[in-house]
Amino acid sequence: MLFHSTWTSLPRPHSFSEFGMTAESNPSISLNEFTYRRGREIYGEKEPADYVYQVMSGAARSYRLLSDGRRQISAFHLPGDIFGLGNGVHRFTTEAVIDTAVRLVKRESLETLANNDNALVKNLLCMTTTNLQHAEDHLLLLGRKTSMERVAACLIEMDGRLIAAGVLALPMTRRDIADYLGLTIETISRSLSCLRELGVLHFMDNNQRHVVIMDRNKLAELDRQN
Amino acid sequence: MLFHSTWTSLPRPHSFSEFGMTAESNPSISLNEFTYRRGREIYGEKEPADYVYQVMSGAARSYRLLSDGRRQISAFHLPGDIFGLGNGVHRFTTEAVIDTAVRLVKRESLETLANNDNALVKNLLCMTTTNLQHAEDHLLLLGRKTSMERVAACLIEMDGRLIAAGVLALPMTRRDIADYLGLTIETISRSLSCLRELGVLHFMDNNQRHVVIMDRNKLAELDRQN
DNA sequence: CGAACGATTGACGTTTCTCAAGGCTGGTGG
DNA sequence: CCACCAGCCTTGAGAAACGTCAATCGTTCG
């Protein structure tokens, strides 16, 4: 296999160490590391939120289900991303998309620190605001964009976050993308085929999840922003 | 007119005074009050975010536009709601849905206070988390619910927030509702007609925005949650 | 009073979904 | 080493949901 699971990413705006939350500076904080195999649940909806996570490698998806099985993925968590914030109880199920390593911090110790550390709370506020902005962008996509615009926007987003040797190597399946974009796998597939025919994309040999983006400008044009 | 613009609401989880931000306790904070007429812009997308607002009476809508005019309303702000949070620049345009009175606080003074007041930052974090949760619920609605489920969910939401003499008096037009739910005005209208035929709703004489909900259970059933 | 606006309804069009078939890939066990 | 199977992706044909266009009606506001 050519691009053997090297899921790297661009630097993210936040990280545990930015909290001053390294083991050195805060011996009270234990930065455990843990690995989840592909498809494994990291936490479930309605479970008490005991930990906050940071992706070290791999990818995770957070989603909610309707009673008849319809699924909406609200976000993919890529290396560097912090997830599991919020208060009290998890509102999503989160699973490993592929084998995924995470660091985890006990929420309890985080909250204890937060009582005295104004900068830490500000950092939490900043991260939550970032999550809110992502959700708000996604509202516009789900409410008002066509299937082509959604797929183009998704590729642009992933292109900005997943870098592997110039090839956009998507860890998620068509089903994941469909449930992220509020579409079906068939519509995703057709949109991608269309983009390939237009000369905007190129699939690498033998793996439809390894994508070469031929024309970023055209892609941005197909997602009529603003 | 029967239910003359008495747009009241249930108590909201947060308010400026909860900050300890009354004029008495913090003379440095000026709680100006201002009124916007129906349809007037309170702030525009990309404008510097100089103020934070609390609705005293009326209603406001926050939205974004695509270049061809498609609009997505991300939230309605009802009495008690605080809006305009975030950092630096507004990401939405916000307008008065009807004549609307707001209190406003200078962001600058808020940030100055926040440097020393841990509880205030925590309060901001809590409000931002509330906004995030609302957006996340809306993602599921926009990505995976049918038109009937969306309209039912919207009525349930508004019923929980707008109370006027036992009648759900909607301040917003069909267009606003459509752009909130990612549908068209015709689809909203047909869904509401269907609900009326089902005996779930009843429109008050001479005003289609004054709705009596006949059967809340049926309505909740039509929005298949979870 | 007339014009503008908002809502409803019907006929029809388009997009997206559903259902079904087939191909490719990777893993497993004989 | 190869055959087989399961999972994932693609493609096509037809169906369904929702959007578009157009006509009509009532209300509001100069």
Side-chain angles (χ1 to χ4, degrees):
Chain A
M1 198 203 283
L2 204 53
F3 294 93
H4 177 73
S5 49
T6 51
W7 310 101
T8 59
S9 86
L10 293 178
R12 301 264 79 214
H14 307 291
S15 78
F16 279 163
S17 48
E18 255 184 57
F19 285 98
M21 275 169 49
T22 56
E24 307 82 57
S25 62
N26 266 304
S28 65
I29 292 280
S30 58
L31 280 178
N32 295 321
E33 199 148 336
F34 200 84
T35 300
Y36 294 89
R37 309 237 33 190
R38 186 165 76 91
R40 287 302 166 81
E41 181 175 305
I42 299 175
Y43 55 77
E45 197 178 333
K46 293 175 186 168
E47 285 180 10
D50 293 332
Y51 295 94
V52 175
Y53 305 81
Q54 181 172 31
V55 181
M56 303 311 292
S57 67
R61 56 177 171 254
S62 286
Y63 65 86
R64 287 171 76 183
L65 291 176
L66 294 174
S67 51
D68 58 358
R70 282 174 287 175
R71 184 176 70 155
Q72 180 63 45
I73 293 177
S74 66
F76 291 111
H77 309 295
L78 303 180
D81 287 356
I82 288 172
F83 63 94
L85 290 171
N87 33 21
V89 169
H90 287 300
R91 309 179 73 251
F92 293 90
T93 300
T94 300
E95 295 170 347
V97 172
I98 51 175
D99 293 355
T100 297
V102 299
R103 270 195 195 153
L104 37 101
V105 171
K106 262 205 147 59
R107 168 181 306 280
E108 202 178 46
S109 50
L110 200 60
E111 284 174 1
T112 307
L113 275 181
N115 286 327
N116 305 317
D117 188 346
N118 197 298
L120 193 151
V121 188
K122 276 189 173 176
N123 226 326
L124 289 171
L125 175 58
C126 186
M127 286 190 290
T128 303
T129 299
T130 301
N131 289 344
L132 177 57
Q133 291 179 354
H134 179 268
E136 288 167 344
D137 290 343
H138 216 56
L139 287 187
L140 181 61
L141 180 148
L142 292 174
R144 288 302 183 209
K145 289 189 180 179
T146 67
S147 58
M148 278 296 285
E149 288 167 348
R150 295 183 201 202
V151 171
C154 179
L155 288 170
I156 291 169
E157 179 188 354
M158 294 308 158
D159 181 48
R161 298 174 64 190
L162 288 167
I163 300 295
V167 173
L168 176 56
L170 298 168
M172 64 289 282
T173 66
R174 298 288 187 264
R175 169 142 301 287
D176 288 329
I177 297 173
D179 289 345
Y180 183 52
L181 301 181
L183 299 168
T184 60
I185 49 175
E186 292 93 336
T187 300
I188 302 296
S189 189
R190 279 186 252 270
S191 300
L192 288 171
S193 296
C194 178
L195 288 174
R196 190 184 27 172
E197 282 161 28
L198 286 172
V200 177
L201 293 184
H202 187 251
F203 294 163
M204 297 298 292
D205 344 71
N206 299 341
N207 193 331
Q208 296 116 322
R209 299 204 213 149
H210 290 155
V211 176
V212 180
I213 298 186
M214 314 292 285
D215 190 340
R216 284 176 170 74
N217 292 334
K218 188 74 185 170
L219 207 54
E221 201 177 296
L222 288 169
D223 172 31
R224 33 177 76 257
Q225 309 273 21
N226 199 290
Chain B
M1 198 202 283
L2 206 53
F3 295 93
H4 177 73
S5 49
T6 53
W7 310 102
T8 61
S9 87
L10 294 177
R12 300 265 77 215
H14 307 289
S15 79
F16 279 163
S17 47
E18 256 184 59
F19 285 97
M21 275 168 50
T22 57
E24 306 85 56
S25 62
N26 267 302
S28 65
I29 292 280
S30 58
L31 278 179
N32 295 320
E33 199 149 336
F34 201 83
T35 300
Y36 294 91
R37 312 245 20 200
R38 186 165 76 92
R40 285 302 164 82
E41 181 176 305
I42 300 175
Y43 54 77
E45 197 178 332
K46 293 176 185 168
E47 284 180 9
D50 292 332
Y51 294 95
V52 176
Y53 305 81
Q54 181 173 30
V55 180
M56 302 313 290
S57 67
R61 56 178 172 254
S62 285
Y63 66 86
R64 288 169 75 181
L65 291 177
L66 294 174
S67 51
D68 59 358
R70 282 173 287 176
R71 184 177 71 155
Q72 180 63 45
I73 293 177
S74 66
F76 291 113
H77 309 296
L78 304 179
D81 288 355
I82 288 172
F83 64 94
L85 290 171
N87 33 22
V89 169
H90 287 300
R91 308 180 71 251
F92 294 90
T93 299
T94 300
E95 294 170 349
V97 173
I98 50 176
D99 292 356
T100 297
V102 298
R103 271 196 196 151
L104 38 100
V105 171
K106 261 205 146 61
R107 166 180 307 279
E108 203 177 46
S109 50
L110 201 60
E111 283 173 2
T112 306
L113 274 180
N115 285 327
N116 304 316
D117 187 346
N118 196 297
L120 193 151
V121 187
K122 275 188 173 176
N123 225 327
L124 289 170
L125 175 57
C126 187
M127 287 190 288
T128 303
T129 300
T130 301
N131 289 344
L132 177 58
Q133 290 178 355
H134 179 269
E136 288 167 344
D137 290 344
H138 216 57
L139 287 186
L140 180 62
L141 180 148
L142 292 174
R144 287 304 183 210
K145 290 188 180 179
T146 66
S147 57
M148 278 296 285
E149 289 166 348
R150 295 183 202 201
V151 170
C154 180
L155 288 171
I156 291 170
E157 178 188 355
M158 294 309 158
D159 181 48
R161 298 174 65 190
L162 287 168
I163 301 295
V167 173
L168 176 56
L170 298 169
M172 66 288 283
T173 65
R174 298 288 186 263
R175 169 142 301 288
D176 288 329
I177 297 173
D179 289 344
Y180 183 50
L181 301 180
L183 298 168
T184 59
I185 49 177
E186 292 92 338
T187 299
I188 302 296
S189 189
R190 279 185 252 269
S191 300
L192 289 172
S193 296
C194 179
L195 288 173
R196 191 184 27 175
E197 281 161 28
L198 286 171
V200 178
L201 292 184
H202 187 251
F203 294 165
M204 296 300 290
D205 345 69
N206 298 342
N207 193 331
Q208 295 117 321
R209 298 203 213 151
H210 290 157
V211 176
V212 181
I213 298 187
M214 314 292 286
D215 190 342
R216 284 177 172 74
N217 292 335
K218 188 74 187 172
L219 207 54
E221 200 177 296
L222 287 170
D223 172 29
R224 32 176 79 256
Q225 307 273 20
N226 199 292

